[in-house]
Amino acid sequence: MDSLIINGKNRLGGTLCVHGAKNSALPVLAASAAVGGECVIYNCPDLSDVRATIRILNGLGCFASFENGTAVCDSRLLCENEIPDKSMRELRSSFIFMGALLSRTGKASMCAPGGCEIGMRPVDIHLSAFEQMGITVSIENGRITCEAPDGISGAQINLSFPSVGATENIILAAVKAKGFTYIRNAAREPEIEDLADFLNSCGAKISGAGDSTIVIEGVDSLHPCEFYVMPDRIEAASFLACAAVTGSTLTVQNAVPEHLSSVISVFEQSGCIFDCSDKIIRIKAPQRLHKMKTIRTMPYPGFPTDCQAIIMSMACVANGTTIINENIFENRFSHAGELNRMGADITVSGRIAIVNGARNLYGTSVRATDLRGGMALIIAGLAAYGQTRIDSVCYVDRGYEKIERDLAAAGADIRRESNGRVKSG
Ligand code: EPZ
């Protein structure tokens, strides 16, 4: 198990480049299984989740590879429509393969994704939409089998919640359905637009992605394409938070400022000054952050739940009290306990966290419990006096590509240790 060792209080500087978005790359890779040709996907981040998805594609009979940020997937010889339980347990978001395999083969089977560290993660919205599209859903011994014996039919679907995964799965199931599919109250995240852009590049007819109503006209077939994954807005926000807590001036490159409007406005409340242009965000942080107004996580374009943990670390060292309301997931405050071990003063009650800005944080041994919570601990370690040791960074590696290499290049005193031995970047 790897650990990260951080000696805090270094000022950061220079430029950090944002990698491709994990939450776009994963659905786009799954979608390549529906295409039936060789797709080339550039700007894929080198993450354990991406490599797990490549393994799943190969397990389905595709020829998939990943090297130097480029994934190639030839799905012509796809011959399976079942995802092994082990793969689902390793990567619960593989449930996105359900829509892709239904579209390609008319049948798909995998175990229910089950819960994870941040919540139960049900898939009822996905399944009820599938049933509206003429897909039969059977659940036996925890295994979900979806089948469209008479083909998939377009439908009018109103989502009870703008679920990102459900919106993606419905789009995938609808691309070759008979007729039109309308998704109302669809998720509006930029990653949805990226998936639609990929599929339209493969000959699909999807309009309205990024808005709350998406229309998919079923086509007879798809063809392969070359695609460039959008920048990771959550990684960009994470880099900005590293600058915010260390009083730094930092340039974040390959980021899309428009994707971060709600996040930047919260950072500005804390006293950070921004200079944004096409794909560049420059942040100048104050010596001491101010408290922020109550933060409520919401579906896009509201404040993203994936930035909740990182903003909590900022609130820990801000002047005054910040209230955080986590509206999306029911168990996404596990990082609060670890932050309190560093001297933070956080009280959690249900979906509300009250953060009294501590004068200082102090390094100690902490443990990541989920992806974004792990990043929150790194941010806190950069702000803390003394040395912080963060264990279970495997969680962080799911969503950040060699984070210690980038932060060290920006001036942080951070290194990775594997079983007590320093690991080069
Ligand atoms: C995606 O998860 C992201 N993951 C998450 O990022 C992100 O936090 C989330 O969207 C919200 O933005 C990927 O894209 C791989 P949802 P997803 O379906 O699709 C409830 C990260 O850190 N719900 O929008 O699973 C659900 O329980 C990860 O990068 C149902 O009730 O999110 C949750 O409370 C974490 N029934 C809420 O909706 C359903 O059928 C949002 O879930 C589906 C969802």
Side-chain angles (χ1 to χ4, degrees):
M1 292 284 263
D2 288 4
S3 303
L4 292 177
I5 313 295
I6 301 172
N7 291 301
K9 306 307 273 185
N10 277 22
R11 184 140 310 158
L12 308 184
T15 299
L16 284 177
C17 288
V18 172
H19 299 93
K22 165 180 87 82
N23 291 347
S24 172
L26 297 183
V28 165
L29 285 167
S32 68
V35 174
E38 183 178 87
C39 292
V40 182
I41 299 153
Y42 300 107
N43 198 39
C44 259
D46 189 352
L47 305 170
S48 50
D49 278 8
V50 168
R51 292 184 178 274
T53 303
I54 294 288
R55 288 195 291 275
I56 290 173
L57 286 166
N58 284 314
L60 293 169
C62 304
F63 287 95
S65 62
F66 176 76
E67 200 174 358
N68 298 329
T70 300
V72 179
C73 177
D74 183 345
S75 60
R76 269 171 293 197
L77 300 180
L78 181 140
C79 55
E80 292 291 337
N81 53 29
E82 295 204 11
I83 307 276
D85 290 5
K86 180 176 173 297
S87 304
M88 280 304 290
R89 260 191 277 287
E90 185 185 8
L91 184 59
R92 60 165 309 287
S93 57
S94 305
F95 197 68
I96 193 66
F97 275 97
M98 193 64 99
L101 290 171
L102 279 166
S103 184
R104 179 72 188 278
T105 70
K107 184 175 180 182
S109 172
M110 57 194 76
C111 68
C116 71
E117 309 78 20
I118 63 175
M120 292 300 287
R121 313 298 291 275
V123 289
D124 55 303
I125 299 173
H126 302 237
L127 300 180
S128 57
F130 286 157
E131 288 175 327
Q132 287 180 255
M133 300 171 80
I135 295 165
T136 60
V137 175
S138 64
I139 302 175
E140 224 168 294
N141 307 324
R143 193 161 188 80
I144 301 173
T145 301
C146 295
E147 206 161 355
D150 307 321
I152 302 173
S153 306
Q156 303 262 359
I157 297 166
N158 295 293
L159 294 186
S160 55
F161 180 86
S163 155
V164 172
T167 302
E168 293 168 342
N169 246 335
I170 297 163
I171 289 172
L172 283 165
V175 284
K176 292 198 290 184
K178 290 191 284 296
F180 285 79
T181 298
Y182 297 81
I183 310 172
R184 293 189 176 83
N185 194 28
R188 298 171 53 192
E189 274 71 2
E191 291 78 16
I192 305 278
E193 286 184 80
D194 227 28
L195 175 63
D197 289 347
F198 169 76
L199 288 165
N200 284 338
S201 303
C202 294
K205 289 183 180 172
I206 304 165
S207 57
D211 293 332
S212 49
T213 297
I214 301 175
V215 185
I216 304 106
E217 179 184 357
V219 295
D220 294 333
S221 65
L222 298 174
H223 57 74
C225 77
E226 297 197 359
F227 187 74
Y228 195 90
V229 173
M230 64 173 262
D232 192 319
R233 58 193 169 100
I234 309 300
E235 184 184 51
S238 304
F239 288 161
L240 293 172
C242 293
V245 298
T246 51
S248 304
T249 297
L250 186 72
T251 299
V252 174
Q253 216 164 23
N254 298 344
V256 179
E258 300 73 51
H259 290 167
L260 287 162
S261 305
S262 58
V263 175
I264 287 174
S265 64
V266 170
F267 275 61
E268 286 172 334
Q269 289 169 28
S270 73
C272 296
I273 297 167
F274 286 89
D275 174 15
C276 297
S277 56
D278 180 25
K279 286 238 173 146
I280 297 221
I281 301 177
R282 281 188 194 84
I283 181 174
K284 183 172 178 5
Q287 278 317 301
R288 185 143 173 71
L289 296 174
H290 315 314
K291 77 179 183 87
M292 294 153 271
K293 296 191 187 83
T294 297
I295 292 156
R296 295 177 181 82
T297 63
M298 300 297 284
Y300 193 89
F303 188 88
T305 176
D306 292 348
C307 288
Q308 179 258 104
I310 65 176
I311 211 84
M312 185 181 281
S313 290
M314 286 172 57
C316 288
V317 293
N319 248 331
T321 299
T322 302
I323 296 173
I324 298 175
N325 186 347
E326 172 54 64
N327 292 305
I328 306 295
F329 290 106
E330 69 270 25
N331 186 36
R332 203 168 195 177
F333 283 141
S334 58
H335 43 282
E338 295 300 293
L339 290 169
N340 281 343
R341 298 184 65 242
M342 297 177 70
D345 176 5
I346 306 167
T347 308
V348 169
S349 171
R351 291 186 178 229
I352 302 283
I354 299 170
V355 187
N356 295 317
R359 291 300 301 166
N360 297 308
L361 295 179
Y362 297 92
T364 185
S365 285
V366 289
R367 178 175 297 276
T369 50
D370 64 81
L371 163 56
R372 307 302 174 184
M375 186 66 219
L377 297 176
I378 292 172
I379 293 163
L382 295 174
Y385 282 97
Q387 188 172 91
T388 302
R389 176 190 186 84
I390 303 167
D391 292 327
S392 302
V393 286
C394 52
Y395 284 108
V396 178
D397 294 337
R398 292 188 50 210
Y400 296 91
E401 185 177 328
K402 295 194 182 60
I403 186 73
E404 73 279 4
R405 178 194 57 192
D406 287 342
L407 292 179
D413 180 344
I414 180 172
R415 68 179 188 276
R416 179 181 289 256
E417 277 190 4
S418 282
N419 305 319
R421 281 200 309 280
V422 177
K423 204 170 178 182
S424 59

